[in-house]
């Protein structure tokens, strides 16, 4: 209902010419819209998680809107420099993709490159090297695929339970237990992979097919190298998709990630994105110490010259957003309307 009202309001603002005034305003020119994406479906992932996965068709529609709206799509580094010099062009936008999913290589980049837009890929490198489905995330997907079933959960949660997977809440609850049990047992990456394969077998999902389709896999190092060679800006997202509160461990995450990206692309990344959008004030001096020039969050908003470079907000696009709402973000008129709180920020939280 709110969504409908909002869309009606946006249409009225557009036909009254207010959107056009905002999009060409000095206010908008001083702001950068950093768009954030995660996965673009290899198969049916957007039906499972429409806030983190988008269909290729919807992404193509977004790229067409960027072009039609005459947005200036800038590379991240240039956009940030110009933001702080107060030298942005009209309707400045930057494209960022988190995690480094294989679907970026197979689905997103072919579409983006048709439009010639620059794009940043924040790459978490552990699951590039260990190229199997990302455990915490694939378990969620498997439970959804098996939603018509009842799971005999002992093997996966360490206690007797018979879980009907029809309801979202039941799947969420058992997912937490599956992750906690694997963490408590301190499973290695390959042990977790074996457990995910066993879960797939229990739920009647063909795990080999997921492997073949590269569903919920990261890009391989060879794919990341190829992307970098074709102009994709590969940047930091930690090695293991986590931000420990201990300084040494935090810096190790950055260094391991930087070293791998450097080995893969031959370039030295200096921009960072907080995994799962999680940040703490104590990270800021550590990031400066590590030579990081910018860091993006999952806080929703435009970046302005008043934003801290190490806490830049973004706009998380999603599969269910109507084109008129997306357009309202490109113009800036969206800020005039009430918003719901940010959707769930994380795909997985701790993933390894
Ligand atoms: Zn991430």
């Amino acid at each position: 209902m709110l969504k409908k009202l909002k869309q009606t309001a946006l249409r009225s603002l557009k036909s009254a010419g207010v959107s056009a005034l905002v999009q060409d305003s000095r206010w908008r020119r001083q702001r950068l819209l950093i768009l954030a994406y995660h996965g673009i479906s290899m198969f049916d992932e957007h039906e499972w998680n429409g806030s983190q996965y988008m269909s290729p068709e919807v992404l193509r529609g977004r790229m067409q809107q960027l072009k039609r709206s005459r947005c200036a799509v800038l590379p991240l580094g240039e956009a940030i420099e110009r933001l702080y010099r107060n030298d942005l062009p009209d309707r400045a936008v930057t494209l960022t993709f988190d995690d480094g999913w294989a679907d970026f290589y197979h689905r997103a980049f072919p579409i983006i490159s048709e439009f010639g837009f620059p794009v940043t890929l924040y790459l978490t490198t552990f699951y590039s090297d260990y190229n199997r489905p990302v455990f915490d995330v694939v378990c969620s997907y498997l439970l959804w695929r098996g939603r018509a079933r009842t799971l005999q959960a002992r093997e996966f949660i360490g206690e007797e339970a018979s879980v009907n997977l029809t309801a979202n809440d039941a799947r969420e609850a058992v997912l937490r237990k599956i992750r906690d049990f694997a963490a408590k047992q301190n499973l290695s990456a390959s042990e977790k992979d074996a457990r995910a394969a066993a879960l797939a077998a229990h739920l009647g999902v063909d795990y080999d097919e997921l492997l073949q389709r590269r569903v919920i896999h990261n890009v391989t190092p060879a794919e990341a190298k190829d992307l970098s060679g074709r102009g994709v800006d590969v940047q930091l997202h930690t090695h293991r998709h986590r931000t420990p509160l201990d300084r040494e461990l935090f810096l190790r995450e950055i260094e391991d990630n930087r070293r791998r990206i450097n080995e893969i692309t031959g370039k030295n990344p200096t921009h960072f994105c907080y995994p799962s959008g999680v940040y703490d004030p104590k990270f800021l001096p550590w990031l400066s110490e590590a030579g990081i020039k910018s860091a993006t969050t999952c806080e929703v908003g435009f970046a302005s010259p008043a934003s801290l470079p190490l806490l830049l907000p973004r706009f998380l696009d999603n599969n269910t957003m109507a084109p008129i709402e997306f357009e309202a973000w490109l113009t800036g008129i969206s800020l005039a309307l009430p918003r719901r709180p940010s959707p769930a920020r994380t795909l997985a939280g701790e993933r390894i």
Side-chain angles (χ1 to χ4, degrees):
M1 187 62 194
L2 181 62
K3 205 173 164 72
K4 284 265 171 288
L5 277 174
K6 199 163 143 181
Q7 290 176 16
T8 308
L10 288 172
R11 269 185 218 100
S12 316
L13 289 167
K14 192 177 173 182
S15 55
V18 179
S19 305
L21 283 177
V22 175
Q23 73 170 1
D24 295 329
S25 65
R26 206 171 105 91
W27 178 91
R28 175 67 180 93
R29 200 173 309 122
Q30 289 173 337
R31 278 162 181 79
L32 170 66
L33 181 65
I34 306 176
L35 292 172
Y37 296 88
H38 290 82
I40 304 301
S41 298
M42 294 298 281
F43 181 39
D44 59 357
E45 298 94 306
H46 60 282
E47 291 171 28
W48 151 61
N49 187 337
S51 66
Q52 301 276 338
Y53 277 84
M54 183 177 271
S55 73
E57 295 72 32
V58 173
L59 180 69
R60 181 182 298 280
R62 300 299 200 239
M63 297 301 107
Q64 283 162 346
Q65 278 189 274
L66 283 171
K67 195 176 164 191
R68 258 203 319 272
S69 307
R70 293 176 295 115
C71 289
V73 184
L74 302 174
L76 178 70
E78 178 189 334
I80 290 169
E81 277 177 25
R82 293 178 69 173
L83 170 70
Y84 290 106
R85 283 207 312 261
N86 230 324
D87 173 37
L88 285 171
D90 284 341
R91 299 175 293 283
V93 173
T94 288
L95 294 174
T96 65
F97 281 71
D98 291 11
D99 303 321
W101 296 111
D103 55 65
F104 179 83
Y105 185 80
H106 294 282
R107 297 282 187 266
F109 186 61
I111 294 171
I112 295 165
S113 52
E114 275 174 41
F115 291 82
F117 294 145
V119 58
T120 290
L121 183 67
Y122 290 118
L123 175 64
T124 179
T125 31
F126 179 92
Y127 271 106
S128 281
D129 292 333
Y130 181 70
N131 211 261
R132 303 288 288 187
V134 176
F135 178 76
D136 281 358
V137 187
V138 82
C139 287
S140 169
Y141 175 72
L142 291 172
L143 293 169
W144 173 78
R145 284 281 299 272
R147 64 197 179 281
R149 302 201 174 210
T150 296
L151 177 69
Q152 302 309 322
R154 169 175 259 297
E155 179 184 345
F156 308 103
I157 65 173
E159 63 189 41
E160 212 61 64
S162 179
V163 186
N164 179 333
L165 298 175
T166 313
N168 199 31
D169 287 356
R171 293 198 299 274
E172 291 273 313
V174 77
L175 176 64
R176 268 194 300 278
K177 287 185 180 177
I178 291 172
R179 290 172 178 170
D180 289 350
F181 186 50
K184 202 171 94 189
Q185 290 182 303
N186 210 7
L187 298 188
S188 67
S190 63
E191 286 167 336
K192 283 187 192 174
D193 186 53
R195 181 155 297 169
L199 182 63
H202 266 68
L203 296 172
V205 180
D206 186 343
Y207 200 65
D208 287 335
E209 193 192 14
L210 299 186
L211 298 178
Q212 262 169 27
R213 288 180 189 257
R214 308 281 309 286
V215 172
I216 311 179
H217 284 62
N218 259 23
V219 288
T220 61
E223 288 166 345
K225 181 181 161 78
D226 186 35
L227 288 168
S228 173
R230 290 155 71 192
V232 173
D233 173 42
V234 180
Q235 296 291 342
L236 301 157
H237 196 45
T238 74
H239 185 55
R240 298 167 193 82
H241 205 267
R242 61 185 173 205
T243 43
L245 292 165
D246 174 88
R247 178 180 164 279
E248 301 291 311
L249 295 176
F250 181 94
L251 289 173
R252 203 184 93 187
E253 280 299 331
I254 305 281
E255 284 320 308
D256 288 351
N257 192 211
R258 176 158 32 210
R259 180 176 43 78
R260 284 302 290 130
I261 290 174
N262 186 267
E263 285 165 358
I264 292 166
T265 66
K267 294 169 190 157
N268 185 34
T270 53
H271 298 281
F272 175 74
C273 168
Y274 296 95
S276 309
V278 174
Y279 61 85
D280 187 287
K282 62 163 55 162
F283 296 160
L284 274 57
W286 300 344
L287 288 169
S288 296
E289 187 183 328
I292 303 301
K293 289 186 188 159
S294 81
T296 48
T297 67
C298 294
E299 300 296 335
V300 176
F302 285 84
S304 82
S307 308
L308 291 176
L310 296 180
L311 287 177
L312 292 173
R314 296 188 292 174
F315 171 63
L316 276 74
D317 195 3
N318 68 68
N319 198 61
T320 56
M321 175 158 295
I324 186 94
E325 290 179 71
F326 182 70
E327 187 184 302
W329 276 94
L330 302 183
T331 59
I333 196 77
S334 57
L335 290 191
L337 295 177
R339 275 176 291 142
R340 274 173 297 185
S342 311
R345 283 182 194 161
T346 68
L347 243 194
E350 295 290 311
R351 300 202 319 192
I352 292 170

